[in-house]
Amino acid sequence: MLLLHGVRSDRTQMLGRARFLNRAGYAALLIDLPGHGQSTGDRITFGAREAAGVKAALEFLRRESPGERIAVIGVSLGAAAAVLALPSPAPDAVVLESMYPTIEDAVANRLTMVLGPAGAVLAGPLLWQLPLRAGVSTDDLRPLERIACLGAPVLLASGAQDRHTTWAETEQLFDAAAGPKELWRVEGAGHVDLHAYGPGAYERQVLGFLAKYLRSEG
């Protein structure tokens, strides 16, 4: 299992998941994505350059554990990085939590939360600065356009009350994803750590999904 944390966090965010996965018999690799924790990098790029860390970690796992099935759990930024990486070969299963569909949606949602309807209008001028501030373009940050090419079974999860990535946006991502795919709506949850929000439900949902693709013979 490769576990990928959210923005401005580090690998310790994923310790709770690592512990329950270990109890269920899975080995877990926790990494600091580029620009986070102890990893090098002077800019947060919302998944674009962080994707290189995902590729490197998957290459490490395949090299160290040849023949083993590999899955990824990514949270928010980590989820986007996993999709934008488009790793080849693809993982055997992927869990994507609270992932934005496009950077335009992500910025507009966050500004609207703070400023009201005017926030959506201000998103454009802010995004124009993205190449200067982060060294990437909006075209680099559209998981919605990449998810169909992921090449792995996917579980999409998000909070029903998430205002950073709305439920309608999560449904958009689900519709765009290729099968096999599953969708999990976490009632009452916002843009929060879904495992910490409801550990029992989370573990049942995720372990059930993983068992289909990591432990089945087909």
Side-chain angles (χ1 to χ4, degrees), residues 109-185:
N109 289 348
R110 285 156 178 77
L111 288 176
T112 299
M113 288 170 57
V114 176
L115 302 173
V121 178
L122 295 173
L126 188 61
L127 287 165
W128 293 338
Q129 302 175 44
L130 193 61
L132 292 174
R133 293 181 176 273
V136 295
S137 75
T138 56
D139 290 340
D140 299 321
L141 297 169
R142 290 179 178 153
L144 181 64
E145 296 176 0
R146 302 278 189 94
I147 194 169
C149 301
L150 190 57
V154 60
L155 169 63
L156 271 162
S158 191
Q161 307 305 318
D162 193 337
R163 296 173 63 196
H164 293 73
T165 297
T166 67
W167 181 250
E169 290 167 351
T170 299
E171 289 183 311
Q172 250 189 315
L173 287 161
F174 181 74
D175 290 341
K181 56 186 177 180
E182 297 180 17
L183 181 64
W184 182 34
R185 176 184 170 106

